[in-house]
Amino acid sequence: MFPKSQSDRVALRFGDRTLTHAKLASCAGALAQQLAGLPRVAVWATPTIETCVAVVAALLAGVPAVPLNPKVGERELAHIVADSAPAAILAAPGERLPEGLHAVPRKDVTLDTGSAELPPEPGPEAPALIVYTSGTTGSPKGVVLPRRAIVSTLDAVADAWGWTGKDVLVHALPLFHVHGLILGVLGPLRRGGTLHHLGKFSTELVAQALAGDGTMLFGVPTMYHRIAEEVGSTPRLANALSWARLLVSGSAALPVRDHERIAAATGQRVVERYGMTETLMNTSVRADGDRKPGAVGVPLAGVEVRLVDDSGAELHETGAVGEIQVRGPNLFTEYLNRPDATAEAFADGWFRTGDVGTRDGDGYYRIVGRKATDIIKSGGYKIGAGEIENALLEHPAVAEVAVTGEPDDDLGERIIAWVVPAGAAPAASELVDHVARLLTPHKRPRLVRFVESLPRNDMGKVMKRALRE
Ligand code: MLC
Ligand code: AMP
C-alpha cells in the first residue's frame, strides 16, 4: 500500500513535530509487530502524528482499524465499541480516554523505532479501515473499506490532480473520516510526499503553510467559505493561495459565490471532487481540465457513474435529473454487521448514493440535491436527523421532536431541533449540551425552536417540509 521508503523527506508535519518517511516506516513497523494477529483495533484519532502512526501500523499489520472521533459522546461511543468489538485502543501516550473505552485494552502509540519483520501484505479484498457514517435513521453504520478501494481511489485522484511525491499537502481536517484520513493522510504517504496538518483550521495557519512549502490545500466548503470571506481584504492570504499548485474542496457543495470570490482574489479556481464514505472518490474536476464552478467533474479512472429515475431506469439525456449510482474498485465491501442495510444500498451491483444529480453535455456531473430529507450535511459532516431525535427524546423535558436542516452560509446546513416540551420548556442550551454529550458536538442543534405541536399527516408522520416553510 505504501512504497517501502528509507527517505529522509518529511512525511508528516503537525505543528513543530515532524516524522520522516524512514522514521515512520520504522516506528509504524515496530508497532505493527505488536498488533499482528489482532482481529481489529480502534484508533483514538486526535490530530496528531501518533494517529497517523497507529493507522499505518494497523495497515502494515493487516489489522482493520476503526478511527474514533476524540469528541465522541457516550451513547455513540458505546454503539461503536459494541458493534466493532476492537481488541485494543491505540492512543497517544497521556491521552485521557473516556469511560466507554476502559474495558478495551489500551496500547500507547510511541515513536520507538525497530527493525520489523512484517507479516505478508493481505490481499486486496482484506478490510483495511472501518469508518462510521450516519444514515437517515438509527445509529451510525460501520463502512468496511477494503485495501483495493483505498489504493484505487488514491491512485485515481493522483492521476486527476497530478499529485506526486513533490507535493506538500496542507489541511486541518479531522482524522476520523475519509476526507482527512484516507485522502489527507494516506494520500501523501502513498505518493511519498508530505502532509502538513494544521491541528485546527484557521485562515491564518492556511496562509502561513501555503506561503511556506505547501503546494496543495484540502478542505470542506465551510473552510473555503471562511477563506472567501477574508481573502478579498487580506493580501497575505490571497498571495499564499495564489502560489498553491492546487486547492481542492469536497465533502459538500461549495457555493458558486465562494468559488468566484476566491478566484477573483487569487486567480486560482478551486477544484471540486465528489466522494462518500462508502464509495471513496467518484468524480473530480481534473487539474488539467476545465474548472467549472458548481460542477463535481468527471468520473475518476476506473469508476462508473450513472443516473437513474425513480423506477431504476438509466437516464441518458443531457441535463436529466436522477439518482447518482456508482460502481467500481473504489466501493466499500459491506456495512459491518448489517447485511440488510448492505443489500438495500445496492441495485444490480450499483451503489445507490442517494445524491441527485445531472450530467452536462461535456460529461461533467452536478449535484442538485439529495433523496433523503433526513440527511443533513453540516460543516462537511454527515448527520442523520433520526439519531438526534432519538437522543433528544431521551431528555425528560422533551415530549416530541423533529430535526431538520436549514441553509447556512457558513456550515452549508445548520441543524434545527423543533421541540414540543413536556411541561415547562428547558433552556435551549441544556438540550444542545445533551446532544453534544450523548452523540458528538458537531451533531448538536445550532437552534432549538419550541413549538406547541408538530405538523403531522393522516398517518401521524411529522411533515418536515411544513416545518421548514
Ligand atoms: C461548541 N463546542 C461544544 C459545544 N458547543 N462542545 C461541547 N458541547 C457544546 N455544546 C465546541 C466544539 O466541540 C469545538 O471545539 C468548538 O466548540 C467549535 O465547534 P464548531 O462550531 O462545531 O466548530 P467549527 O469551528 O464551526 O467547525 C467548522 C469546521 C468543522 C469546518 C472546522 O465542521 C470541520 O472540521 N469539518 C470537517 C468535516 C469533515 O471532515 N467531513 C468529511 C467527511 S468524509 P474545538 O475544541 O474543536 O474548538 C466525506 C466524504 C467526502 O464527506 O467526500 O469527503
Ligand atoms: P459522507 O457520508 O460523510 O462521506 O458524505 C458523503 C456525501 O457528501 C455525499 O453523498 C454527498 O451528498 C456529499 N458530497 C461529497 N462531496 C460533495 C461535493 N463536492 N459536492 C456536493 N456534495 C458532496
Side-chain angles (χ1 to χ4, degrees):
M1 189 173 269
F2 308 114
K4 283 214 168 43
S5 174
Q6 287 310 313
S7 148
D8 58 6
R9 182 170 163 74
V10 171
L12 302 167
R13 174 186 299 281
F14 282 71
D16 296 337
R17 300 177 73 207
T18 60
L19 206 63
T20 64
H21 281 273
K23 180 106 193 277
L24 171 64
S26 177
C27 55
L31 179 58
Q33 265 188 331
Q34 303 170 45
L35 303 181
L38 292 179
R40 202 174 281 152
V41 293
V43 176
W44 193 244
T46 51
T48 57
I49 281 186
E50 282 77 6
T51 295
C52 305
V53 170
V55 171
V56 172
L59 290 170
L60 291 176
V63 175
V66 185
L68 296 178
N69 173 356
K71 291 206 177 119
V72 66
E74 57 198 56
R75 188 75 73 252
E76 193 159 317
L77 178 61
H79 162 69
I80 295 175
V81 169
D83 192 48
S84 64
I89 168 79
L90 312 186
E95 195 66 50
R96 261 193 54 199
L97 298 180
E99 222 177 279
L101 281 169
H102 287 180
V104 181
R106 172 179 184 142
K107 184 162 277 302
D108 276 343
V109 180
T110 63
L111 304 186
D112 297 340
T113 51
S115 59
E117 193 62 42
L118 293 174
E121 179 152 356
E125 292 304 316
L129 290 170
I130 299 167
V131 180
Y132 278 80
T133 188
S134 295
T136 48
T137 55
S139 301
K141 299 189 284 280
V143 175
V144 179
L145 293 162
R147 298 172 88 88
R148 55 107 179 116
I150 295 173
V151 165
S152 70
T153 224
L154 292 181
D155 292 351
V157 292
D159 166 61
W161 302 337
W163 189 357
T164 71
K166 294 197 184 119
D167 278 302
V168 176
L169 171 65
V170 173
H171 74 78
L173 293 156
L175 301 188
F176 46 87
H177 277 311
V178 160
H179 196 166
L181 180 62
I182 298 185
L183 293 194
V185 175
L186 303 183
L189 297 184
R190 185 161 169 83
R191 301 273 76 82
T194 303
L195 160 64
H196 180 174
H197 195 281
L198 303 177
K200 193 171 162 55
F201 176 81
S202 78
T203 52
E204 177 54 32
L205 288 177
V206 167
Q208 266 177 32
L210 292 178
D213 60 359
T215 64
M216 288 210 288
L217 178 69
F218 285 179
V220 293
T222 300
M223 295 171 180
Y224 284 105
H225 175 76
R226 293 178 188 180
I227 287 173
E229 291 278 285
E230 278 180 39
V231 73
S233 57
T234 314
R236 201 177 124 64
L237 179 61
N239 284 334
L241 289 164
S242 71
W243 296 324
R245 189 179 72 73
L246 200 64
L247 312 175
V248 186
S249 173
S251 304
L254 181 62
V256 171
R257 177 161 176 264
D258 291 334
H259 268 287
E260 296 299 355
R261 287 194 292 176
I262 293 171
T266 69
Q268 284 265 14
R269 281 220 168 267
V270 176
V271 159
E272 261 197 270
R273 96 293 181 288
Y274 160 56
M276 205 172 171
T277 305
E278 290 90 333
T279 65
L280 303 185
M281 297 304 117
N282 297 314
T283 68
S284 183
V285 172
R286 293 184 61 88
D288 57 4
D290 186 6
R291 300 190 187 180
K292 291 200 281 185
V296 294
V298 295
L300 289 163
V303 182
E304 292 175 87
V305 180
R306 70 175 190 178
L307 298 172
V308 300
D309 68 14
D310 286 342
S311 72
E314 189 167 346
L315 298 165
H316 295 283
E317 325 78 81
T318 298
V321 176
E323 183 186 17
I324 302 174
Q325 298 191 343
V326 290
R327 196 163 69 171
N330 52 318
L331 261 55
F332 74 134
T333 330
E334 58 170 349
Y335 293 114
L336 189 68
N337 306 321
R338 295 293 306 275
D340 53 329
T342 308
E344 215 174 287
F346 286 89
D348 310 324
W350 292 79
F351 178 74
R352 302 152 54 157
T353 64
D355 292 311
V356 176
T358 67
R359 187 174 45 240
D360 294 351
D362 50 11
Y364 275 53
Y365 283 82
R366 286 172 191 278
I367 297 173
V368 299
R370 193 181 297 135
K371 284 189 94 169
T373 49
D374 277 346
I375 295 285
I376 301 164
K377 263 262 156 169
S378 188
Y381 287 111
K382 188 182 204 176
I383 299 156
E387 54 183 327
I388 305 174
E389 289 163 0
N390 288 340
L392 284 169
L393 284 172
E394 281 189 41
H395 194 284
V398 174
E400 292 178 61
V401 64
V403 165
T404 60
E406 240 177 42
D408 185 280
D409 283 346
D410 183 45
L411 296 169
E413 286 180 280
R414 62 174 166 264
I415 299 169
I416 314 288
W418 305 79
V419 173
V420 179
S429 62
E430 191 180 319
L431 300 183
V432 171
D433 292 345
H434 171 80
V435 174
R437 188 172 53 76
L438 248 54
L439 303 180
T440 171
H442 68 250
K443 295 183 181 175
R444 70 191 190 274
R446 301 294 168 130
L447 205 64
V448 178
R449 295 204 174 114
F450 292 103
V451 289
E452 277 179 19
S453 64
L454 296 172
R456 293 183 187 271
N457 65 16
D458 295 344
M459 312 288 288
K461 194 169 177 292
V462 176
M463 297 187 296
K464 292 197 177 176
R465 285 187 208 284
L467 278 172
R468 284 200 217 99
E469 277 149 16

